Amino acid sequence: MRLSVAIVGSGPSGFYAAESLLSAFPDCEIDILERLPTPFGLVRFGVAPDHQSVKRVTEGYEKTVSSGRVHYYGNVEVGRDVTMAELRDCYDAVVLAVGAPRDRPIGIPGEDKRGILGSAAFVGWYNGHPDFANLHPNIDVERAIVVGNGNVALDIARILVLSPNELAATDIAEEAADAITRSKLREVIVLGRRGAAQARFTNPELRAFARLDRGTPCVEGDSLSEHALEGLSEKPRRQAERNLETLRSFAELKEKTATRRITFQFFARPLEVLGGESVTGLRVAQTRLEGSRVVETGAQEDLSCGLIIKAIGYRSPRIPGIPFDAARGRLRNRDGRIAPGLYAVGWAKRGPSGVIGTNKADGKALAEQLRDDMKTQGKPGRKALEARLTARQVRWVTYRDWRLIDEAEIAAGQGDHPRRKFVSVADMLALLDRAQENTT
């Protein structure tokens, strides 16, 4: 009997799962379901638009889906077009690769004011995610604060200060590029509640700030001494040493002519968002470390700003009938197993951690688990899925359809733009309708 597997989600974790399963089960049948017409998830909508080399990872995903044993079903939402129970009835195994697309709240007063956004929403907006096409954030402010000390926080701060020439070489959404170019923004503060040595951003991301056309990085306060490294184990210490060296080097850039400034402010914990209906500032408490604990010193500071972006982590979506680990923001599972025949991979399994390649290990672990677990197989799989979708008149998007969308986006790119993304599902489907009409 042929093993049939449905993978819900078409980001890196979903494709790496498919790749491992193809290797482990030579005659398996794999179907990838994605609620949007477009595949690649985090690579398309999470990777910064000026990191085009990172996006080439999709070339490997192309090989996986071109194997002939993997089918893509875009524009199919589990819960809307087919239920989880139906999927489990149709397939021997269902794999949830839904990522962690929800923002974690800070949990401070004023978090609901206009002008404070989560990084998932903001990054989705400038990356052309259809869910956030109507976000229209006001970035025409003099100062913005990015709360967080990870790579996402650095991505956001960097994108906000890019010059028109730098933006021209990206696939950023057109509205976002126009807004960044027109903005009167003068300063972006990157705020961390711990010190520079405890920051989670990587050194290549940090070094990029020294090469910006119109942004000058600097460090607020004294947090770069050698004492900052005390208590760190070997691997974190090496990363921290590189980061501290880079942050110190920013002092040499003070004479650089630039219209926008990126200020790294450490040891500051957000306390309250200030303002009426809209953000006018952020009150922060100065902090220090006691061992590994962050404690407040008693001193506070009010930072004026017109925009706050939270980049403090993500959460997986809750799925009806699937146990959820609220503390960790992920699907409740035991090393990827949720229930018989039901599995999780990627951020849905581990929580939001690691880089794109980290998901490869989850795919290999999944293949081993299915070898152990699949004592019986032979559910109808793809045939049963298509019968349900057809009966409900669901318009699913094939991988061939996606290639038409892809070609149209690339053709619409101007100058150095690698592509101009569709930001509306309706526009994508309209393109496919026109293509179908032209072939009949």
Side-chain angles (χ1 to χ4, degrees), residues 272-397:
E272 181 182 358
V273 179
L274 306 176
E277 291 185 359
S278 299
V279 169
T280 61
L282 180 65
R283 178 165 296 154
V284 300
Q286 292 181 12
T287 63
R288 57 185 170 83
L289 288 177
E290 286 187 358
S292 61
R293 292 177 57 248
V294 177
V295 298
E296 296 179 13
T297 66
Q300 296 182 1
E301 181 182 7
D302 289 350
L303 303 172
S304 63
C305 65
L307 174 67
I308 299 172
I309 303 170
K310 305 170 294 180
I312 57 171
Y314 301 112
R315 301 169 65 85
S316 293
R318 291 180 180 268
I319 301 174
I322 305 299
F324 189 76
D325 184 344
R328 300 182 180 182
R330 67 183 191 186
L331 304 182
R332 191 177 296 280
N333 67 91
R334 185 173 297 225
D335 194 27
R337 291 182 173 94
I338 298 174
L342 184 61
Y343 303 83
V345 292
W347 285 4
K349 169 188 174 181
R350 296 179 281 106
S353 62
V355 295
I356 289 173
T358 309
N359 296 291
K360 290 182 179 180
D362 290 341
K364 292 178 181 177
L366 172 71
E368 293 174 1
Q369 290 169 342
L370 262 63
R371 279 198 193 99
D372 294 337
D373 297 350
M374 294 292 105
K375 305 304 180 185
T376 60
Q377 54 197 55
K379 290 185 178 181
R382 183 176 302 157
K383 182 178 180 180
L385 173 68
E386 291 194 359
R388 282 175 165 82
L389 296 181
T390 300
R392 292 165 187 165
Q393 298 183 320
V394 175
R395 167 66 183 280
W396 73 82
V397 172

Side-chain angles (χ1 to χ4, degrees), residues 147-201:
V147 180
N149 266 184
N151 281 344
V152 174
L154 295 196
D155 283 345
I156 293 168
R158 188 182 67 255
I159 294 299
L160 281 171
V161 303
L162 292 183
S163 69
N165 284 339
E166 289 167 325
L167 289 167
T170 75
D171 62 354
I172 193 170
E174 187 174 6
E175 179 191 347
D178 290 344
I180 291 168
T181 299
R182 295 194 313 266
S183 174
K184 60 176 178 280
L185 186 69
R186 291 293 175 264
E187 183 179 28
V188 179
I189 297 176
V190 180
L191 198 73
R193 65 190 181 96
R194 295 177 180 269
Q198 290 75 40
R200 296 192 175 186
F201 44 70

Side-chain angles (χ1 to χ4, degrees), residues 154 157-158 188 190 196 201-212 215-220 223-224 242-258 261-266:
L154 295 196
R158 188 182 67 255
V188 179
V190 180
F201 44 70
T202 55
N203 196 249
E205 291 284 341
L206 189 61
R207 291 200 309 269
F209 284 87
R211 301 189 295 270
L212 296 171
T216 297
C218 64
V219 181
E220 182 79 10
S223 59
L224 306 181
R242 290 192 292 269
N243 285 343
L244 290 176
E245 182 180 356
T246 300
L247 289 166
R248 292 188 194 106
S249 73
F250 291 163
E252 302 171 5
L253 304 172
K254 286 185 177 179
E255 301 303 320
K256 175 184 172 183
T257 301
R261 170 186 172 112
I262 307 98
T263 301
F264 291 86
Q265 184 167 345
F266 300 101

